[in-house]
Amino acid sequence: MRRFKTTVVGAGNVGSTLAQRLVEKELTDVVLIDRVADRGEGKTLDLLQSSPILGFDTKIIGAHDYGPTADSDIVVITAGFPRKPGMSRDDLLKMNMEVVQEVTENIVKHSPDAIIIVVTNPLDVMCHVAWKASGFPKNRIIGMAGILDTARFRTFIAMELNVSVDNIHAFVLGGHGDSMVPVPRYSTVAGIPIPELMTQDRIDALVERTRNGGAEIVGLLKTGSAYYAPSAATVEMIEAIMVDKKKILPCSALCEGEYGINGTFIGVPCKLGTNGIEEIVDVRLSNPEGDALHRSADLVKEQTALIDKFMAENKKNGKKSAPAEG
Ligand code: APR
């Protein structure tokens, strides 16, 4: 039987932790790529040497060229740059656009049938870049954000009520960032909507902490951002696709009319199976919820327009490669 193959691009914190989770679970063979020579090779050699101790037989290869990635079923893009002091949001947008564009062009050459999962931030617009650069149908471009955001919300609800995280389902829509839209009345503990279990003040506090979930961790770590939860969220998506689970998970997807949003990648509930996004689940929202989602989509739309402008300028100037690290 052919083994499932996943390429992870970017052997930094998220990429290497994701590779570790995948091989330790014996879910899929993994190729770990980084533009920095030997980074992917070093991380995979270390992982490989943990296999006799942990007892996994999944194959793992490190590389800095795309040859070994050929015919991957799934490619996860974690490659990118973090925001550094003095760098504007637009500078970061442009740098990561060039990274994701270059990576995607390589993926298309070597794995034309792959499903691409984007993790690089700013997430929703990076999905747009991968979609544009690949020419893939929209069901094969999926952004990882909502599972992470809902996991944060679920964690805070569990802590607040002192109950198992297993009992909690949470519902978060919208762009990955300050404008995300947690929906408390669809967020439940053992089937009970959270407004039945806590005051509006406490819900507002948990929503606020969820919105700042990424920044809170950056503030604590000082250098670098979250990677344990982002990598775990990506594993859940890969598993749903691999086993054709038809699991409904919040992901960034290209909306074409759903929720009244057109032509924008944004966080919505998606059914994941062998074909990637098999359906966007379009649920009825109240007016304030719908308004918040549209405001979030408008912000993503503005950034998407900027990306289209950058991509057009680079095309005109014949610029191809991603910027050098530093
Ligand atoms: N091709 C391959 N790898 C690249 C490229 C490229 N063009 N450009 C950068 N990289 C690699 C870097 O060399 C680095 O090893 O991407 C890796 C990024 O790793 P980290 O800096 O550790 O970042 P990480 O914490 O893993 O986050 C990656 O995920 O959650 C998001 O916001 C986060 O956008 C960021 C991404």
Side-chain angles (χ1 to χ4, degrees):
M1 201 175 89
R2 188 179 165 277
R3 291 156 68 108
F4 204 89
K5 181 170 173 181
T6 300
T7 288
V8 178
V9 187
N13 283 336
V14 177
S16 55
T17 312
L18 171 62
Q20 179 189 358
R21 292 190 190 285
L22 292 173
V23 292
E24 286 184 357
K25 280 186 124 187
E26 291 194 312
L27 271 182
T28 157
D29 290 343
V30 173
V31 183
L32 183 61
I33 299 277
D34 204 281
R35 77 197 307 254
V36 177
D38 296 340
R39 185 172 288 171
E41 289 87 334
K43 297 260 172 117
T44 50
L45 187 59
D46 190 10
L47 270 175
L48 196 63
Q49 290 167 1
S50 72
S51 67
I53 306 165
L54 298 174
F56 62 84
D57 287 302
T58 354
K59 283 193 201 132
I60 175 154
I61 298 171
H64 60 278
D65 66 80
Y66 283 76
T69 71
D71 298 323
S72 292
D73 299 284
I74 294 182
V75 180
V76 183
I77 305 178
T78 76
F81 297 98
R83 190 162 158 197
K84 293 192 178 144
M87 202 191 260
S88 73
R89 273 182 199 271
D90 287 0
D91 292 340
L92 181 72
L93 192 70
K94 193 159 193 261
M95 280 177 85
N96 281 350
M97 173 205 87
E98 288 172 359
V99 169
V100 171
Q101 184 173 3
E102 182 221 71
V103 168
T104 305
E105 284 164 2
N106 280 308
I107 293 167
V108 173
K109 261 185 239 154
H110 293 86
S111 302
D113 299 320
I115 290 171
I116 298 180
I117 298 178
V118 182
V119 178
T120 306
N121 277 316
L123 192 268
D124 304 281
V125 275
M126 290 304 129
C127 292
H128 177 80
V129 175
W131 177 59
K132 280 265 168 161
S134 64
F136 284 5
K138 62 179 181 174
N139 58 304
R140 287 203 277 134
I141 306 288
I142 319 172
M144 188 295 295
I147 302 174
L148 172 63
D149 296 331
T150 48
R152 286 178 173 149
F153 197 27
R154 288 167 67 192
T155 306
F156 300 143
I157 295 168
M159 284 159 61
E160 178 79 12
L161 297 174
N162 192 24
V163 294
S164 165
V165 287
D166 270 355
N167 282 138
I168 301 170
H169 282 273
F171 198 84
V172 175
L173 296 166
H176 182 49
D178 308 343
S179 72
M180 77 176 72
V181 186
V183 185
R185 68 195 178 93
Y186 286 147
S187 302
T188 60
V189 179
I192 307 160
I194 59 167
E196 302 285 326
L197 300 170
M198 56 178 103
T199 63
Q200 190 58 44
D201 281 358
R202 290 312 301 153
I203 293 176
D204 291 346
L206 302 192
V207 164
E208 198 48 28
R209 192 167 179 196
T210 302
R211 281 212 180 97
N212 295 326
E216 184 178 359
I217 290 175
V218 170
L220 292 167
L221 294 180
K222 312 287 189 293
T223 56
S225 47
Y227 52 97
Y228 292 118
S231 56
T234 312
V235 172
E236 189 174 23
M237 293 166 75
I238 293 174
E239 220 166 356
I241 295 166
M242 276 183 67
V243 302
D244 195 22
K245 211 165 161 74
K246 318 286 189 203
K247 194 169 187 176
I248 295 170
L249 293 167
C251 302
S252 185
L254 180 63
C255 285
E256 286 180 316
E258 296 89 352
Y259 294 92
I261 296 167
N262 243 311
T264 305
F265 278 86
I266 192 117
V268 283
C270 298
K271 191 199 280 179
L272 296 193
T274 306
N275 300 313
I277 297 176
E278 302 193 345
E279 187 187 334
I280 293 175
V281 182
D282 200 351
V283 294
R284 191 133 31 108
L285 297 176
S286 69
N287 284 344
E289 292 158 356
D291 290 348
L293 180 61
H294 284 120
R295 275 196 303 277
S296 179
D298 287 344
L299 291 173
V300 178
K301 210 171 256 181
E302 271 172 36
Q303 283 195 324
T304 306
L306 209 53
I307 283 284
D308 283 338
K309 184 174 142 246
F310 291 152
M311 286 178 100
E313 278 169 10
N314 280 0
K315 195 171 173 194
K316 202 167 132 208
N317 301 333
K319 184 164 181 189
K320 274 194 167 138
S321 61
E325 194 170 15

